[in-house]
PDB file of all heavy atoms in Angstrom:
ATOM      1  N   LEU A 558      -0.388  -1.953  11.051  1.00 98.00           N
ATOM      2  CA  LEU A 558      -0.181  -2.968  10.021  1.00 98.00           C
ATOM      3  C   LEU A 558       0.793  -2.466   8.950  1.00 98.00           C
ATOM      4  O   LEU A 558       1.698  -3.202   8.530  1.00 98.00           O
ATOM      5  CB  LEU A 558      -1.511  -3.367   9.392  1.00 98.00           C
ATOM      6  CG  LEU A 558      -2.470  -4.120  10.312  1.00 98.00           C
ATOM      7  CD1 LEU A 558      -3.883  -4.129   9.740  1.00 98.00           C
ATOM      8  CD2 LEU A 558      -1.979  -5.546  10.552  1.00 98.00           C
ATOM      9  N   MET A 559       0.628  -1.227   8.511  1.00 98.00           N
ATOM     10  CA  MET A 559       1.524  -0.667   7.496  1.00 98.00           C
ATOM     11  C   MET A 559       2.955  -0.618   8.009  1.00 98.00           C
ATOM     12  O   MET A 559       3.886  -1.003   7.283  1.00 98.00           O
ATOM     13  CB  MET A 559       1.065   0.741   7.097  1.00 98.00           C
ATOM     14  CG  MET A 559      -0.155   0.775   6.214  1.00 98.00           C
ATOM     15  SD  MET A 559       0.088   0.059   4.579  1.00 98.00           S
ATOM     16  CE  MET A 559       1.290   1.183   3.887  1.00 98.00           C
ATOM     17  N   ASP A 560       3.148  -0.164   9.229  1.00 98.00           N
ATOM     18  CA  ASP A 560       4.504  -0.083   9.787  1.00 98.00           C
ATOM     19  C   ASP A 560       5.172  -1.451   9.782  1.00 98.00           C
ATOM     20  O   ASP A 560       6.335  -1.587   9.381  1.00 98.00           O
ATOM     21  CB  ASP A 560       4.476   0.476  11.213  1.00 98.00           C
ATOM     22  CG  ASP A 560       4.091   1.949  11.279  1.00 98.00           C
ATOM     23  OD1 ASP A 560       4.144   2.650  10.243  1.00 98.00           O
ATOM     24  OD2 ASP A 560       3.711   2.390  12.380  1.00 98.00           O
ATOM     25  N   LYS A 561       4.455  -2.469  10.213  1.00 98.00           N
ATOM     26  CA  LYS A 561       5.022  -3.819  10.279  1.00 98.00           C
ATOM     27  C   LYS A 561       5.317  -4.350   8.881  1.00 98.00           C
ATOM     28  O   LYS A 561       6.398  -4.886   8.624  1.00 98.00           O
ATOM     29  CB  LYS A 561       4.068  -4.758  11.028  1.00 98.00           C
ATOM     30  CG  LYS A 561       4.549  -6.188  11.098  1.00 98.00           C
ATOM     31  CD  LYS A 561       5.820  -6.322  11.904  1.00 98.00           C
ATOM     32  CE  LYS A 561       6.180  -7.788  12.111  1.00 98.00           C
ATOM     33  NZ  LYS A 561       7.522  -7.939  12.663  1.00 98.00           N
ATOM     34  N   ALA A 562       4.375  -4.216   7.964  1.00 98.00           N
ATOM     35  CA  ALA A 562       4.587  -4.731   6.607  1.00 98.00           C
ATOM     36  C   ALA A 562       5.771  -4.040   5.942  1.00 98.00           C
ATOM     37  O   ALA A 562       6.623  -4.706   5.339  1.00 98.00           O
ATOM     38  CB  ALA A 562       3.323  -4.560   5.768  1.00 98.00           C
ATOM     39  N   LEU A 563       5.847  -2.727   6.048  1.00 98.00           N
ATOM     40  CA  LEU A 563       6.949  -2.007   5.407  1.00 98.00           C
ATOM     41  C   LEU A 563       8.293  -2.401   6.011  1.00 98.00           C
ATOM     42  O   LEU A 563       9.302  -2.445   5.311  1.00 98.00           O
ATOM     43  CB  LEU A 563       6.721  -0.496   5.478  1.00 98.00           C
ATOM     44  CG  LEU A 563       5.544   0.015   4.641  1.00 98.00           C
ATOM     45  CD1 LEU A 563       5.320   1.505   4.871  1.00 98.00           C
ATOM     46  CD2 LEU A 563       5.745  -0.287   3.156  1.00 98.00           C
ATOM     47  N   SER A 564       8.305  -2.747   7.299  1.00 97.00           N
ATOM     48  CA  SER A 564       9.554  -3.194   7.921  1.00 97.00           C
ATOM     49  C   SER A 564       9.947  -4.593   7.449  1.00 97.00           C
ATOM     50  O   SER A 564      11.114  -4.972   7.534  1.00 97.00           O
ATOM     51  CB  SER A 564       9.441  -3.162   9.451  1.00 97.00           C
ATOM     52  OG  SER A 564       8.687  -4.258   9.932  1.00 97.00           O
ATOM     53  N   GLU A 565       8.999  -5.356   6.947  1.00 97.00           N
ATOM     54  CA  GLU A 565       9.259  -6.712   6.470  1.00 97.00           C
ATOM     55  C   GLU A 565       9.646  -6.754   4.990  1.00 97.00           C
ATOM     56  O   GLU A 565      10.194  -7.744   4.525  1.00 97.00           O
ATOM     57  CB  GLU A 565       8.015  -7.593   6.680  1.00 97.00           C
ATOM     58  CG  GLU A 565       7.710  -7.890   8.127  1.00 97.00           C
ATOM     59  CD  GLU A 565       8.721  -8.835   8.762  1.00 97.00           C
ATOM     60  OE1 GLU A 565       9.208  -9.754   8.077  1.00 97.00           O
ATOM     61  OE2 GLU A 565       9.030  -8.644   9.953  1.00 97.00           O
ATOM     62  N   LEU A 566       9.330  -5.698   4.265  1.00 97.00           N
ATOM     63  CA  LEU A 566       9.623  -5.662   2.828  1.00 97.00           C
ATOM     64  C   LEU A 566      11.003  -5.055   2.587  1.00 97.00           C
ATOM     65  O   LEU A 566      11.487  -4.238   3.374  1.00 97.00           O
ATOM     66  CB  LEU A 566       8.538  -4.870   2.095  1.00 97.00           C
ATOM     67  CG  LEU A 566       7.147  -5.506   2.130  1.00 97.00           C
ATOM     68  CD1 LEU A 566       6.101  -4.546   1.582  1.00 97.00           C
ATOM     69  CD2 LEU A 566       7.138  -6.813   1.360  1.00 97.00           C
ATOM     70  N   ASP A 567      11.626  -5.453   1.481  1.00 97.00           N
ATOM     71  CA  ASP A 567      12.965  -4.996   1.114  1.00 97.00           C
ATOM     72  C   ASP A 567      12.990  -3.469   1.000  1.00 97.00           C
ATOM     73  O   ASP A 567      12.274  -2.902   0.172  1.00 97.00           O
ATOM     74  CB  ASP A 567      13.352  -5.639  -0.224  1.00 97.00           C
ATOM     75  CG  ASP A 567      14.762  -5.315  -0.678  1.00 97.00           C
ATOM     76  OD1 ASP A 567      15.375  -4.353  -0.165  1.00 97.00           O
ATOM     77  OD2 ASP A 567      15.247  -6.029  -1.567  1.00 97.00           O
ATOM     78  N   PRO A 568      13.812  -2.799   1.815  1.00 96.00           N
ATOM     79  CA  PRO A 568      13.843  -1.337   1.800  1.00 96.00           C
ATOM     80  C   PRO A 568      14.427  -0.757   0.513  1.00 96.00           C
ATOM     81  O   PRO A 568      14.323   0.450   0.279  1.00 96.00           O
ATOM     82  CB  PRO A 568      14.710  -0.972   3.009  1.00 96.00           C
ATOM     83  CG  PRO A 568      15.553  -2.175   3.251  1.00 96.00           C
ATOM     84  CD  PRO A 568      14.730  -3.356   2.816  1.00 96.00           C
ATOM     85  N   GLU A 569      15.017  -1.596  -0.320  1.00 96.00           N
ATOM     86  CA  GLU A 569      15.595  -1.143  -1.585  1.00 96.00           C
ATOM     87  C   GLU A 569      14.613  -1.238  -2.752  1.00 96.00           C
ATOM     88  O   GLU A 569      14.923  -0.799  -3.857  1.00 96.00           O
ATOM     89  CB  GLU A 569      16.848  -1.962  -1.913  1.00 96.00           C
ATOM     90  CG  GLU A 569      17.944  -1.844  -0.866  1.00 96.00           C
ATOM     91  CD  GLU A 569      18.452  -0.418  -0.710  1.00 96.00           C
ATOM     92  OE1 GLU A 569      18.695   0.246  -1.743  1.00 96.00           O
ATOM     93  OE2 GLU A 569      18.576   0.039   0.443  1.00 96.00           O
ATOM     94  N   ARG A 570      13.447  -1.841  -2.503  1.00 97.00           N
ATOM     95  CA  ARG A 570      12.471  -2.027  -3.576  1.00 97.00           C
ATOM     96  C   ARG A 570      11.239  -1.168  -3.355  1.00 97.00           C
ATOM     97  O   ARG A 570      10.784  -0.992  -2.228  1.00 97.00           O
ATOM     98  CB  ARG A 570      12.039  -3.491  -3.645  1.00 97.00           C
ATOM     99  CG  ARG A 570      13.157  -4.423  -4.094  1.00 97.00           C
ATOM    100  CD  ARG A 570      12.688  -5.857  -4.136  1.00 97.00           C
ATOM    101  NE  ARG A 570      11.632  -6.049  -5.131  1.00 97.00           N
ATOM    102  CZ  ARG A 570      10.842  -7.116  -5.148  1.00 97.00           C
ATOM    103  NH1 ARG A 570      10.955  -8.069  -4.237  1.00 97.00           N
ATOM    104  NH2 ARG A 570       9.913  -7.231  -6.071  1.00 97.00           N
ATOM    105  N   ASP A 571      10.689  -0.657  -4.462  1.00 97.00           N
ATOM    106  CA  ASP A 571       9.420   0.053  -4.404  1.00 97.00           C
ATOM    107  C   ASP A 571       8.337  -0.905  -3.913  1.00 97.00           C
ATOM    108  O   ASP A 571       8.419  -2.113  -4.131  1.00 97.00           O
ATOM    109  CB  ASP A 571       9.024   0.592  -5.776  1.00 97.00           C
ATOM    110  CG  ASP A 571       9.945   1.700  -6.269  1.00 97.00           C
ATOM    111  OD1 ASP A 571      10.768   2.196  -5.475  1.00 97.00           O
ATOM    112  OD2 ASP A 571       9.839   2.059  -7.461  1.00 97.00           O
ATOM    113  N   VAL A 572       7.329  -0.354  -3.265  1.00 98.00           N
ATOM    114  CA  VAL A 572       6.193  -1.137  -2.772  1.00 98.00           C
ATOM    115  C   VAL A 572       4.944  -0.663  -3.509  1.00 98.00           C
ATOM    116  O   VAL A 572       4.732   0.541  -3.666  1.00 98.00           O
ATOM    117  CB  VAL A 572       6.005  -0.947  -1.248  1.00 98.00           C
ATOM    118  CG1 VAL A 572       4.813  -1.752  -0.745  1.00 98.00           C
ATOM    119  CG2 VAL A 572       7.273  -1.316  -0.495  1.00 98.00           C
ATOM    120  N   THR A 573       4.117  -1.609  -3.947  1.00 98.00           N
ATOM    121  CA  THR A 573       2.880  -1.246  -4.633  1.00 98.00           C
ATOM    122  C   THR A 573       1.667  -1.761  -3.869  1.00 98.00           C
ATOM    123  O   THR A 573       1.758  -2.690  -3.065  1.00 98.00           O
ATOM    124  CB  THR A 573       2.832  -1.802  -6.073  1.00 98.00           C
ATOM    125  OG1 THR A 573       2.900  -3.218  -6.027  1.00 98.00           O
ATOM    126  CG2 THR A 573       3.955  -1.238  -6.922  1.00 98.00           C
ATOM    127  N   VAL A 574       0.555  -1.131  -4.131  1.00 97.00           N
ATOM    128  CA  VAL A 574      -0.730  -1.557  -3.597  1.00 97.00           C
ATOM    129  C   VAL A 574      -1.795  -1.116  -4.601  1.00 97.00           C
ATOM    130  O   VAL A 574      -1.668  -0.063  -5.217  1.00 97.00           O
ATOM    131  CB  VAL A 574      -1.004  -0.962  -2.191  1.00 97.00           C
ATOM    132  CG1 VAL A 574      -1.082   0.549  -2.217  1.00 97.00           C
ATOM    133  CG2 VAL A 574      -2.265  -1.557  -1.580  1.00 97.00           C
ATOM    134  N   SER A 575      -2.808  -1.935  -4.771  1.00 95.00           N
ATOM    135  CA  SER A 575      -3.926  -1.581  -5.626  1.00 95.00           C
ATOM    136  C   SER A 575      -5.090  -1.200  -4.723  1.00 95.00           C
ATOM    137  O   SER A 575      -5.433  -1.938  -3.801  1.00 95.00           O
ATOM    138  CB  SER A 575      -4.301  -2.773  -6.518  1.00 95.00           C
ATOM    139  OG  SER A 575      -5.376  -2.421  -7.358  1.00 95.00           O
ATOM    140  N   THR A 576      -5.665  -0.033  -4.983  1.00 94.00           N
ATOM    141  CA  THR A 576      -6.779   0.436  -4.162  1.00 94.00           C
ATOM    142  C   THR A 576      -7.828   1.081  -5.063  1.00 94.00           C
ATOM    143  O   THR A 576      -7.710   1.076  -6.288  1.00 94.00           O
ATOM    144  CB  THR A 576      -6.277   1.388  -3.052  1.00 94.00           C
ATOM    145  OG1 THR A 576      -7.334   1.598  -2.114  1.00 94.00           O
ATOM    146  CG2 THR A 576      -5.792   2.716  -3.603  1.00 94.00           C
ATOM    147  N   PHE A 577      -8.833   1.627  -4.461  1.00 93.00           N
ATOM    148  CA  PHE A 577      -9.932   2.221  -5.204  1.00 93.00           C
ATOM    149  C   PHE A 577      -9.510   3.534  -5.854  1.00 93.00           C
ATOM    150  O   PHE A 577      -8.611   4.218  -5.371  1.00 93.00           O
ATOM    151  CB  PHE A 577     -11.124   2.441  -4.273  1.00 93.00           C
ATOM    152  CG  PHE A 577     -11.563   1.176  -3.589  1.00 93.00           C
ATOM    153  CD1 PHE A 577     -11.240   0.924  -2.277  1.00 93.00           C
ATOM    154  CD2 PHE A 577     -12.282   0.217  -4.294  1.00 93.00           C
ATOM    155  CE1 PHE A 577     -11.629  -0.255  -1.654  1.00 93.00           C
ATOM    156  CE2 PHE A 577     -12.681  -0.964  -3.682  1.00 93.00           C
ATOM    157  CZ  PHE A 577     -12.350  -1.196  -2.363  1.00 93.00           C
ATOM    158  N   ARG A 578     -10.200   3.880  -6.904  1.00 94.00           N
ATOM    159  CA  ARG A 578      -9.885   5.118  -7.629  1.00 94.00           C
ATOM    160  C   ARG A 578     -10.413   6.342  -6.890  1.00 94.00           C
ATOM    161  O   ARG A 578     -11.325   6.254  -6.062  1.00 94.00           O
ATOM    162  CB  ARG A 578     -10.491   5.073  -9.030  1.00 94.00           C
ATOM    163  CG  ARG A 578      -9.844   4.019  -9.901  1.00 94.00           C
ATOM    164  CD  ARG A 578     -10.372   4.064 -11.304  1.00 94.00           C
ATOM    165  NE  ARG A 578      -9.818   2.956 -12.077  1.00 94.00           N
ATOM    166  CZ  ARG A 578     -10.123   2.737 -13.342  1.00 94.00           C
ATOM    167  NH1 ARG A 578     -10.967   3.552 -13.977  1.00 94.00           N
ATOM    168  NH2 ARG A 578      -9.591   1.715 -13.985  1.00 94.00           N
ATOM    169  N   GLU A 579      -9.822   7.471  -7.234  1.00 94.00           N
ATOM    170  CA  GLU A 579     -10.272   8.743  -6.665  1.00 94.00           C
ATOM    171  C   GLU A 579     -11.747   8.933  -6.995  1.00 94.00           C
ATOM    172  O   GLU A 579     -12.204   8.616  -8.096  1.00 94.00           O
ATOM    173  CB  GLU A 579      -9.451   9.903  -7.257  1.00 94.00           C
ATOM    174  CG  GLU A 579      -9.734  11.214  -6.592  1.00 94.00           C
ATOM    175  CD  GLU A 579      -8.770  12.308  -7.025  1.00 94.00           C
ATOM    176  OE1 GLU A 579      -7.940  12.072  -7.910  1.00 94.00           O
ATOM    177  OE2 GLU A 579      -8.868  13.393  -6.451  1.00 94.00           O
ATOM    178  N   GLY A 580     -12.506   9.423  -6.006  1.00 93.00           N
ATOM    179  CA  GLY A 580     -13.930   9.632  -6.204  1.00 93.00           C
ATOM    180  C   GLY A 580     -14.788   8.447  -5.776  1.00 93.00           C
ATOM    181  O   GLY A 580     -15.996   8.593  -5.626  1.00 93.00           O
ATOM    182  N   ASP A 581     -14.180   7.293  -5.580  1.00 92.00           N
ATOM    183  CA  ASP A 581     -14.912   6.112  -5.096  1.00 92.00           C
ATOM    184  C   ASP A 581     -14.946   6.208  -3.572  1.00 92.00           C
ATOM    185  O   ASP A 581     -13.895   6.241  -2.923  1.00 92.00           O
ATOM    186  CB  ASP A 581     -14.183   4.838  -5.538  1.00 92.00           C
ATOM    187  CG  ASP A 581     -14.935   3.560  -5.202  1.00 92.00           C
ATOM    188  OD1 ASP A 581     -15.678   3.544  -4.191  1.00 92.00           O
ATOM    189  OD2 ASP A 581     -14.761   2.569  -5.928  1.00 92.00           O
ATOM    190  N   GLU A 582     -16.137   6.253  -2.987  1.00 89.00           N
ATOM    191  CA  GLU A 582     -16.234   6.436  -1.532  1.00 89.00           C
ATOM    192  C   GLU A 582     -15.536   5.318  -0.752  1.00 89.00           C
ATOM    193  O   GLU A 582     -15.070   5.539   0.361  1.00 89.00           O
ATOM    194  CB  GLU A 582     -17.689   6.569  -1.084  1.00 89.00           C
ATOM    195  CG  GLU A 582     -18.504   5.318  -1.236  1.00 89.00           C
ATOM    196  CD  GLU A 582     -19.939   5.484  -0.772  1.00 89.00           C
ATOM    197  OE1 GLU A 582     -20.471   6.608  -0.852  1.00 89.00           O
ATOM    198  OE2 GLU A 582     -20.523   4.491  -0.330  1.00 89.00           O
ATOM    199  N   LYS A 583     -15.430   4.123  -1.340  1.00 89.00           N
ATOM    200  CA  LYS A 583     -14.716   3.037  -0.676  1.00 89.00           C
ATOM    201  C   LYS A 583     -13.226   3.343  -0.548  1.00 89.00           C
ATOM    202  O   LYS A 583     -12.540   2.758   0.280  1.00 89.00           O
ATOM    203  CB  LYS A 583     -14.867   1.723  -1.451  1.00 89.00           C
ATOM    204  CG  LYS A 583     -16.250   1.148  -1.458  1.00 89.00           C
ATOM    205  CD  LYS A 583     -16.254  -0.157  -2.248  1.00 89.00           C
ATOM    206  CE  LYS A 583     -17.636  -0.758  -2.323  1.00 89.00           C
ATOM    207  NZ  LYS A 583     -17.620  -2.046  -2.995  1.00 89.00           N
ATOM    208  N   GLY A 584     -12.744   4.245  -1.383  1.00 89.00           N
ATOM    209  CA  GLY A 584     -11.312   4.509  -1.427  1.00 89.00           C
ATOM    210  C   GLY A 584     -10.831   5.688  -0.607  1.00 89.00           C
ATOM    211  O   GLY A 584      -9.622   5.909  -0.496  1.00 89.00           O
ATOM    212  N   THR A 585     -11.736   6.433  -0.014  1.00 91.00           N
ATOM    213  CA  THR A 585     -11.325   7.642   0.701  1.00 91.00           C
ATOM    214  C   THR A 585     -10.311   7.341   1.796  1.00 91.00           C
ATOM    215  O   THR A 585      -9.218   7.915   1.822  1.00 91.00           O
ATOM    216  CB  THR A 585     -12.554   8.367   1.290  1.00 91.00           C
ATOM    217  OG1 THR A 585     -13.471   8.644   0.221  1.00 91.00           O
ATOM    218  CG2 THR A 585     -12.156   9.664   1.962  1.00 91.00           C
TER     219      THR A 585
END
């Protein structure tokens, strides 16, 4: 999924994602 999404996004722009904080077991 990551490979496909990154290939679809503009290679000249930074990509962001919001995820869980360090120490949160959901985020490991």
